[in-house]
Amino acid sequence: MKIVTIFADQLYAFHYMGEAENEYDRLMEQWTDISYLRAYAKQNKIADVTNFVREIRQDAEYIDDLIESIARQNHKLESFFKPLYNLEMGVKFLSLQKGRRYKLRIYAIKIDENLFVITGGAVKINLLMDDHPDTQLEKVKLNQAKDYFKKQQVFDRDSFYELLTDDFNDE
């Protein structure tokens, strides 16, 4: 597992072993792939497949443009990412976060102010994360990432950059 830069000093993503791309690029590719979306809609018994595919592709492009715009204009990523649990308040160590647009979710760990690491994402078609295998998996990945950062003693921007430097030197 590696951590790769999406937008310097603000947004990173995990690149899991065995995967061709990091999580951000994988999601954007998946969510704009018509064949994948059609198969996903049929597997999940979506009634209007054509509309579902169109909406997911539009939302993926919107998210990609929004994140790029936020990063380019030096705005805070907190305008996109929100706490995973709606009742979470105040500052929380390694907070679990979600960015969303209608049915799409990008999951991340908030390391520090305006510093996030994407762990994955999913099409959310059920109310609760525990009600669908895809979002269940993403919840597991979020918790594994949080545990990884705790084990590596990452608790702020400096300790995160130290981890990246150490990982780079180990390659």
Side-chain angles (χ1 to χ4, degrees):
M1 163 173 70
K2 293 188 329 187
I3 298 172
V4 299
T5 305
I6 304 301
F7 293 107
D9 300 332
Q10 297 176 53
L11 186 61
Y12 295 79
F14 278 104
H15 187 160
Y16 298 110
M17 291 274 237
E19 291 291 335
E21 299 175 293
N22 68 67
E23 285 300 284
Y24 183 77
D25 291 342
R26 183 186 69 79
L27 292 170
M28 289 303 130
E29 174 127 346
Q30 198 174 65
W31 291 342
T32 56
D33 180 336
I34 294 171
S35 298
Y36 170 82
L37 292 173
R38 284 187 176 285
Y40 185 91
K42 289 175 184 173
Q43 178 185 0
N44 287 280
K45 298 175 177 57
I46 305 292
D48 188 346
V49 173
T50 302
N51 192 46
F52 173 82
V53 169
R54 183 181 50 76
E55 286 176 352
I56 297 299
R57 291 184 78 219
Q58 287 175 345
D59 290 347
E61 290 169 8
Y62 176 87
I63 288 171
D64 192 41
D65 291 345
L66 178 64
I67 288 175
E68 190 173 321
S69 174
I70 290 169
R72 253 190 285 120
Q73 296 175 17
N74 278 337
H75 292 149
K76 303 266 186 230
L77 283 168
E78 282 85 354
S79 64
F80 177 66
F81 288 104
K82 305 293 181 204
L84 180 63
Y85 301 106
N86 296 331
L87 299 178
E88 182 179 305
M89 299 175 73
V91 176
K92 187 168 182 196
F93 175 67
L94 297 175
S95 176
L96 307 180
Q97 302 277 306
K98 67 184 173 207
R100 66 187 185 126
R101 171 80 175 175
Y102 300 116
K103 290 182 177 86
L104 297 183
R105 299 293 187 273
I106 294 181
Y107 299 105
I109 301 287
K110 181 178 180 180
I111 304 294
D112 208 332
E113 183 179 342
N114 206 35
L115 177 59
F116 295 82
V117 181
I118 294 171
T119 61
V123 176
K124 188 170 182 223
I125 55 176
N126 292 75
L127 181 61
L128 301 174
M129 284 185 84
D130 292 331
D131 290 345
H132 194 276
D134 292 348
T135 47
Q136 287 173 355
L137 173 62
E138 294 309 320
K139 193 173 181 182
V140 168
K141 287 166 53 178
L142 271 166
N143 287 315
Q144 287 174 337
K146 184 173 183 172
D147 290 344
Y148 170 76
F149 286 132
K150 283 181 180 178
K151 183 178 177 185
Q152 299 300 319
Q153 299 179 352
V154 171
F155 54 89
D156 64 3
R157 184 176 303 277
D158 292 337
S159 58
F160 176 72
Y161 292 143
E162 188 175 311
L163 172 68
L164 291 183
T165 303
D166 290 347
D167 283 352
F168 180 75
N169 290 331
D170 290 343
E171 290 180 359

